[in-house]
Amino acid sequence: MIQAKQALLAALADSLQEIAPGSNAVAAFESPKQAAHGDFACTAAMQLAKPLKANPRELATRLVAALQARPAFQQWVQSLEIAGPGFINIRLKPAAKQAVVAEVLAVGAAFGHRAATGRHVMVEFVSANPTGPLHVGHARQAALGDAICALFQSQGHDVTREFYYNDAGAQIATLAHSTQLRLKGVKPGDAGWPEAAYNGDYIQDIADAFLRRETVRADDREFTASGDVDDLDGIRQFAVAYLRHEQDLDLQAFGLKFDNYFLESSVYQGGQLEKAVERIVANGKAYEQDGALWFKSTDYGDDKDRVMRKREGGYTYFVPDVAYHVNKFERGYTQCINIQGSDHHGTIARVRGGLQAQGLGIPQGFPDYVLHKMVTVMKGGQEVKISKRAGSYVTLRDLVDWTSRDAVRFFLISRKADTEFVFDIDLALKANDENPVFYVQYAHARICSVIRRWAAEMGGDPGAIAGADLGLLAAPTEEALMLKLAAYPDMLSGAATGLAPHDVAFYARDLAAAYHAYYAAERVLGQAPELSRARVALLAATRQVLANALGMLGVTAPEQMSRDLPDPAAEPLPETA
């Protein structure tokens, strides 16, 4: 069906040029709101009506005539109907829908993927300073960022996953001081414990390891402790390396590995920061006032101008951000996406403005942002706010330990990033159709079970589906399932373009629902051999696309569920309680 759709779109483009030469009409199909209206809908006649000053139904009539003369429409289309003010509803021949089964099975895991584009894309996410374990907000960033990377890779782009952090500054100074106090026997609640200090048990763990003169290795650094409680800089470097290692363990538990780590301190090296400021000044986008250097950020849509260099010296925090993004651009990335909390919304205009003021030809709107809202964790109907490990918040590893990596990844992608999300621990542990990740994984496991049983009946030859007569797939639920399979490539493309990985989660649930409906309506095993073989081919294609979609989200596609659950091929989906 993918090839059929491409042929039909090419024929539509030619027909549009025939009835409206030189027009900018886009050849595109839409999905009808009601399945009874057909498989595709075309609104081109209504779009052309105004510029051509013509009646849209008359245009639709001319367009239908032109389409019916095209070989692709003669081969793949059963009927064309004009509806309403000028809609054209398109019904495909069964063979067009059935073709998707062979298309999926031919390319397997590559179904929906596009050829290499040569574009270099960076996604920067998590980017947590090493001051403590990764929290649930970082978990949402990890899920969003990794899925967006997978989407861009599916579209043929070369993708870099980057983690940006600060190994100096006020937060790191507080970390070093908190660790030094623990080394000297001062603990939270004691008279000498500062209010701003870090209270989690992990601080004592760092202190104990420092006294043991341990060597810690993170993905991007290594340090050996001196054991000297008065060696504050050594304590700082050890604490940073220790917590970077802890973050690496958190990320490993999540199944995530970054390609590059970038230190904020590096933008101060080689004069990158000063050069960024000098370019802004040279381009007339800065001024002196009250002893400070100001950036004319209102020229770029900000609500007020911003201080770049403070009166007492030193740069404000957004200036290193500008220098960092200049660095990204100069490294050759044509698109950069930042995954951040919604509290960063106010920085977007000034960072983008600072980049435009560089005069380097950086595109407007660079970088792109995906901002996410907070995550609330619930268990037993109560909000969970405290983690013993972190001291004041729930960590990424808490979520993984309490549920599973698959549940955390799927749940945190299952809503749009800009909506608040409630992570229900109890729901994530349920083995029924209330639990979305279970619902999708169960569909995959059920298909695997059916295919295993069918292969046993065929003498253990799963390859027997080759050459199946797909023309036998004519039941309404089969057509619905095949149409859903055919929607996968366009869904992937749209999700990548729209930075919308939740679309993949929505699709996976819809595909699982289409499969469960099909399985409830039609028997696969025990039918005439050719019919069973055709239906198993459809199941194999569905299994493949389910696995592909779950893989986009970093979620596994199990071949069987836990032992205490019924055989998926023999039992209905467990009902909700």
Side-chain angles (χ1 to χ4, degrees):
M1 182 173 172
I2 309 305
Q3 293 178 355
K5 184 177 181 180
Q6 291 172 347
L8 294 174
L9 284 171
L12 173 59
D14 291 342
S15 298
L16 288 171
Q17 287 305 307
E18 178 183 323
I19 69 167
S23 73
N24 295 322
V26 177
F29 296 137
E30 299 177 5
S31 296
K33 294 182 179 179
Q34 297 181 31
H37 292 167
D39 302 308
F40 297 141
C42 176
T43 60
M46 292 185 292
Q47 295 169 12
L48 286 171
K50 186 174 181 179
L52 295 181
K53 299 180 180 178
N55 181 287
R57 279 191 69 91
E58 292 178 0
L59 279 176
T61 301
R62 290 169 55 196
L63 181 56
V64 165
L67 293 172
Q68 288 174 331
R70 303 284 170 181
F73 272 75
Q74 293 169 0
Q75 180 180 2
W76 299 115
V77 172
Q78 184 169 292
S79 67
L80 294 165
E81 300 171 355
I82 300 172
F87 292 101
I88 300 174
N89 291 329
I90 303 167
R91 298 180 191 279
L92 299 175
K93 292 179 180 179
K97 304 172 191 177
Q98 294 154 356
V100 73
V101 175
E103 290 169 341
V104 172
L105 296 178
V107 296
F111 181 69
H113 288 224
R114 298 190 175 186
T117 63
R119 287 187 60 201
H120 297 285
V121 178
M122 176 197 286
V123 183
E124 182 224 321
F125 58 112
V126 181
S127 294
N129 288 337
T131 56
L134 300 178
H135 55 61
V136 293
H138 297 132
R140 194 170 195 185
Q141 283 191 32
L144 288 166
D146 203 33
I148 288 173
C149 288
L151 283 168
F152 274 102
Q153 288 171 319
S154 78
Q155 301 306 295
H157 307 323
D158 179 46
V159 179
T160 297
R161 293 164 170 82
E162 184 151 293
F163 187 117
Y164 172 81
Y165 73 93
N166 189 0
D167 61 342
Q171 290 184 343
I172 303 302
T174 300
L175 170 67
H177 186 50
S178 301
T179 305
Q180 187 179 52
L181 287 173
R182 287 291 187 111
L183 285 164
K184 294 181 176 181
V186 182
K187 59 184 184 299
D190 290 351
W193 188 260
E195 184 177 348
Y198 296 120
N199 297 323
D201 288 352
Y202 67 92
I203 298 295
Q204 186 62 57
D205 294 340
I206 297 171
D208 293 342
F210 184 84
L211 286 175
R212 292 192 296 267
R213 294 182 169 84
E214 289 186 3
T215 297
V216 288
R217 296 176 180 86
D219 279 353
D220 67 318
R221 60 174 59 224
E222 177 180 321
F223 193 80
T224 299
S226 67
D228 180 359
V229 299
D230 293 318
D231 178 13
L232 186 59
D233 188 63
I235 293 169
R236 176 188 66 80
Q237 293 189 62
F238 182 79
V240 167
Y242 186 99
L243 287 174
R244 275 292 308 112
H245 172 69
E246 287 292 304
Q247 289 177 344
D248 288 343
L249 295 178
D250 290 343
L251 295 170
Q252 288 170 20
F254 200 75
L256 173 58
K257 186 172 181 62
F258 283 87
D259 301 305
N260 191 47
Y261 291 86
F262 193 100
L263 294 177
E264 181 181 324
S265 58
S266 66
V267 302
Y268 292 88
Q269 299 167 4
Q272 293 182 63
L273 192 148
E274 287 76 12
K275 289 176 183 176
V277 173
E278 288 168 4
R279 284 189 289 262
I280 293 174
V281 172
N283 288 318
K285 296 299 181 180
Y287 59 92
E288 296 271 358
Q289 182 176 303
D290 301 327
L293 181 64
W294 294 71
F295 170 48
K296 297 179 181 179
S297 55
T298 50
D299 287 358
Y300 301 96
D302 203 359
D303 58 344
K304 61 181 179 180
D305 290 345
R306 305 288 172 172
V307 173
M308 288 193 294
R309 188 178 62 239
K310 294 176 282 189
R311 181 187 311 165
E312 61 274 17
Y315 294 102
T316 54
Y317 70 93
F318 95 92
V319 180
D321 282 350
V322 172
Y324 171 45
H325 285 89
V326 170
N327 178 283
K328 288 183 180 181
F329 179 73
E330 291 179 337
R331 279 187 274 163
Y333 292 104
T334 53
Q335 184 176 8
C336 291
I337 300 101
N338 296 346
I339 317 292
Q340 297 177 325
S342 56
D343 56 326
H344 287 79
H345 185 272
T347 67
I348 295 176
R350 71 198 70 155
V351 170
R352 286 177 173 169
L355 294 171
Q356 291 300 300
Q358 296 296 307
L360 295 174
I362 297 175
Q364 289 190 3
F366 182 98
D368 293 310
Y369 287 85
V370 175
L371 302 182
H372 68 87
K373 291 193 175 178
M374 64 179 293
V375 178
T376 301
V377 180
M378 302 290 290
K379 187 175 184 180
Q382 301 293 320
E383 183 177 354
V384 182
K385 295 183 178 180
I386 303 298
S387 162
K388 184 174 186 294
R389 179 167 174 256
S392 59
Y393 56 84
V394 177
T395 71
L396 180 157
R397 223 182 310 174
D398 287 335
L399 288 185
V400 173
D401 290 345
W402 294 342
T403 59
S404 68
R405 177 197 297 179
D406 285 347
V408 175
R409 278 183 171 267
F410 195 96
F411 272 50
L412 293 178
I413 288 292
S414 63
R415 295 287 185 275
K416 293 179 65 175
D418 62 0
T419 60
E420 293 186 2
F421 183 74
V422 175
F423 192 107
D424 188 331
I425 299 295
D426 300 318
L427 177 61
L429 294 173
K430 285 187 175 182
N432 61 33
D433 61 359
E434 283 186 83
N435 179 346
V437 67
F438 175 88
Y439 184 75
V440 177
Q441 288 182 319
Y442 191 87
H444 185 272
R446 172 182 268 183
I447 293 172
C448 290
S449 180
V450 173
I451 293 177
R452 283 195 300 269
R453 291 178 61 187
W454 176 80
E457 293 177 2
M458 297 296 294
D461 181 15
I465 60 173
D469 182 1
L470 302 178
L472 298 173
L473 301 174
T477 52
E478 287 170 336
E479 289 199 358
L481 186 53
M482 290 184 288
L483 284 171
K484 182 56 68 174
L485 294 176
Y488 181 71
D490 284 347
M491 181 280 299
L492 275 189
S493 175
T497 302
L499 305 177
H502 60 274
D503 285 349
V504 183
F506 293 170
Y507 174 87
R509 290 199 67 179
D510 288 347
L511 179 58
Y515 166 70
H516 289 308
Y518 169 59
Y519 191 79
E522 305 295 336
R523 291 180 60 84
V524 175
L525 303 177
Q527 302 298 295
E530 283 305 308
L531 179 58
S532 282
R533 184 157 67 147
R535 287 179 170 173
V536 168
L538 174 56
L539 263 57
T542 304
R543 175 180 63 178
Q544 183 66 66
V545 177
L546 280 170
N548 291 1
L550 288 170
M552 282 290 141
L553 306 180
V555 176
T556 62
E559 294 191 2
Q560 58 187 24
M561 304 302 279
S562 59
R563 294 180 181 177
D564 57 334
L565 292 176
D567 176 4
E571 298 290 338
L573 185 69
E575 297 293 335
T576 58

